[in-house]
Amino acid sequence: MRSGTVYTETVIWSAPEAFAADVPYQTAIVALDEGGRVTVRVLGHRVVIGDRVTEAEPRGDIPFFRKV
Amino acid sequence: MRPVAVVGIGKTAFGAFADRDLRTLAVEAGEKCLRNAHAEPSQVESFYLGNFAGPSFVGQNHLAPYVSTALGITGVPSTRIEAACASSGSAFFHAWTEVAAGVYDLVMVVGVEKMTSQPTARVSQILAGAGDCSGEMKVGSTFASLFAMIARRHMYEFGTRKEHLSMVAVKNHAAGALNPDAHMRKVITLEQAMNAKPIAEPLNLYDCSLVSDGAAAVLLAPLERAREFTAKPVRVLGVAQCSDYVALDQKPGITTFPAVRRAAEQAYRMAGVTPREIEFAELHDCFTIAEIVATEDLGFVEKGQGGPYAFAGCTALRGERPVNTSGGLKSKGHPVGATGVAQICDLVLQIRGEAGERQIERHSLGLAENLGGSGATCVVTILGAA
């Protein structure tokens, strides 16, 4: 499981049509411990910059992370 | 390379026009431009169309000859350029290279987008195609959410505040209210701007530019021939286009755009001017944070100071260096493929002294910054009185 630190985040209230049913939802750019950054969906508790997060269960090819 | 001038401009009003299609908008702008330059379609030697997503928005491909033939321009190169929201800035850059290199004398650039025939969620989906669909976009990102993440990071790194963002909206609406061609001619208060409905936190409705229909056109010619067409030629002093990663998460930092900095450095060098000398600018305020970051990347202020600079009124219509005297993408509107050329038209209006109620006092040296995606393309243009 990948883990890392929240580099930045937002909560989306106006979504593309494919994600309209999910509103509101949080996305974040995570600085991975293994190096590099990835844009993810956040599950559960809202996160802020600097929070530690870890990868949750995979859903399709969308990376989901949650707060540690 | 030889000096190049803008010898004609033409724009449609920007707005939501249920009865106007892509081609009639583009043709209106093109015909106004030709009239403005006292030129005939048969004189145009090469044609560029800036358009982001005509195939998705209106189901039409092969757009350049589709438009140019309707203008009566036939038998010459007719080329569409797509670079997200910098499509027509890039088209302008490529038209400039042709004239500067002496390949052609008279080259026309039209930018157009017809967006409002689609519902908002569909528009968001189409615009998302300007991001990295194999990564950042597949998690449900929107362009508002990418710029929201830039805003969050800017706040974290530099202490930028929500009211700094909102002041950009207030200022641009104040200027746009004076622009007869603007999409939303509405003055707003800081309180309204602070408390609108959220789009992608911390950005709300008033932090976002408008979904608009519209077109804009310019005609370029060698400076030595400019007075055949106009008594008020405007010289292209510097222009540059630079690229960067499409995905925000691949950039080393997200509070600065290397493509903007590099394009600006090249344009300043070509023009032989420093950032301090720029008197006014049209900047790509697709979201309020983007204007703040641009004032920093262009060297108008130190990195991190763009928020306080805007909040203090320095970039307001009557400020020390007016930014977006047209109302910007925020109030004038943002038909994405038209925006880059529309910025050039707005600089030309100011330099010629034809900007009406929003005319500023120091208007001889202006800069336009046209951004594609979250900074993957940037075109910076510096214009001055010829």
Side-chain angles (χ1 to χ4, degrees), chain A residues 7-19 25 27-29 37-41 49 61-63, chain B residues 121-122 124-125 136 138-142 145 148-149 152-153 156 198-201 248-249 251-254:
Chain A
Y7 179 72
T8 187
E9 52 75 27
T10 183
V11 175
I12 296 174
W13 292 84
S14 180
E17 56 186 0
F19 297 87
Y25 54 92
T27 61
I29 294 178
R37 295 191 193 126
V38 61
T39 307
V40 307
R41 276 282 289 273
I49 293 173
D61 64 346
I62 297 179
Chain B
R122 179 75 192 135
S124 290
Q125 192 81 41
E136 60 186 2
K138 72 182 179 188
V139 307
S141 297
T142 60
S145 81
M149 292 199 291
R152 277 273 194 254
R153 190 74 200 177
Y156 176 82
I199 300 296
E201 298 174 22
L248 194 61
D249 56 26
K251 297 181 206 295
I254 65 169

Side-chain angles (χ1 to χ4, degrees), chain B residues 337-348:
Chain B
T339 284
V341 167
Q343 290 178 319
I344 302 292
C345 292
D346 287 313
L347 291 187
V348 169

Side-chain angles (χ1 to χ4, degrees), chain A residues 39-68:
Chain A
T39 307
V40 307
R41 276 282 289 273
V42 177
L43 282 178
H45 289 291
R46 295 279 162 84
V47 298
V48 297
I49 293 173
D51 279 351
R52 294 286 302 163
V53 289
T54 187
E55 193 159 19
E57 74 274 20
R59 296 185 190 176
D61 64 346
I62 297 179
F64 279 85
F65 278 59
R66 67 167 76 243
K67 192 170 177 174
V68 174

